Amino acid sequence: QVQLVESGGGLVQAGGSLRLSCAASGRTFSGYTMGWFRQAPGKEREFVAGISWSGGKTYYADSVKGRSTISRDNAKNTVYLQMNSLKPEDTAVYYCAADMTTVVIATKEVDYDYWGQGTQVTVSS
């Protein structure tokens, strides 16, 4: 069992930055891939970024590529999502998720086994 708790969301003006954190507890954190997803009102949840167990590989959705950086600190059991140059369309609830089985960085919800409760990010224009 893995428990994930996100933090760091909030209200920010367009062009601003936020760093989301996801603290994990339970099974050995360094053993699995982590991902960030988001869900805007009235839309389906979508993949944002993922990072391999070692942190050596990352993958981003086109919508955030170049503006966001995913990283992890296995000693602290925490994964981060640094988001810069935020846009109003980045407004969503952001979720972190753990993939216990897939070797490559998965982009589909179904591939992730555990989810946090989400943190709200609101970008004002």
Side-chain angles (χ1 to χ4, degrees), residues 59-87:
Y59 185 75
Y60 299 90
D62 288 342
S63 57
V64 302
K65 193 177 297 181
R67 300 188 296 122
S68 296
T69 302
I70 187 171
S71 61
R72 67 191 295 163
D73 185 337
N74 287 341
K76 295 182 178 180
N77 291 350
T78 303
V79 62
Y80 305 96
L81 182 66
Q82 175 70 43
M83 300 188 295
N84 302 319
S85 302
L86 284 162
K87 306 175 182 179

Side-chain angles (χ1 to χ4, degrees), residues 3-61:
Q3 294 78 42
L4 302 172
V5 179
E6 302 97 335
S7 61
L11 174 64
V12 63
Q13 289 187 333
S17 299
L18 280 175
R19 188 176 82 155
L20 307 183
S21 300
C22 173
S25 60
R27 294 176 60 176
T28 304
F29 178 72
S30 60
Y32 44 89
T33 299
M34 295 295 295
W36 283 96
F37 288 73
R38 67 185 182 186
Q39 187 168 22
K43 295 186 177 181
E44 293 186 352
R45 190 151 56 181
E46 63 176 2
F47 173 82
V48 175
I51 188 166
S52 63
W53 67 271
S54 67
K57 294 183 179 180
T58 58
Y59 185 75
Y60 299 90

Side-chain angles (χ1 to χ4, degrees), residues 71-122:
S71 61
R72 67 191 295 163
D73 185 337
N74 287 341
K76 295 182 178 180
N77 291 350
T78 303
V79 62
Y80 305 96
L81 182 66
Q82 175 70 43
M83 300 188 295
N84 302 319
S85 302
L86 284 162
K87 306 175 182 179
E89 50 264 44
D90 293 318
T91 295
V93 177
Y94 284 71
Y95 300 88
C96 70
D99 176 359
M100 313 303 291
T101 57
T102 308
V103 177
V104 297
I105 297 173
T107 61
K108 297 180 180 179
E109 286 186 70
V110 68
D111 290 320
Y112 287 81
D113 305 288
Y114 297 98
W115 293 82
Q117 83 290 347
T119 186
Q120 176 72 47
V121 171
T122 303

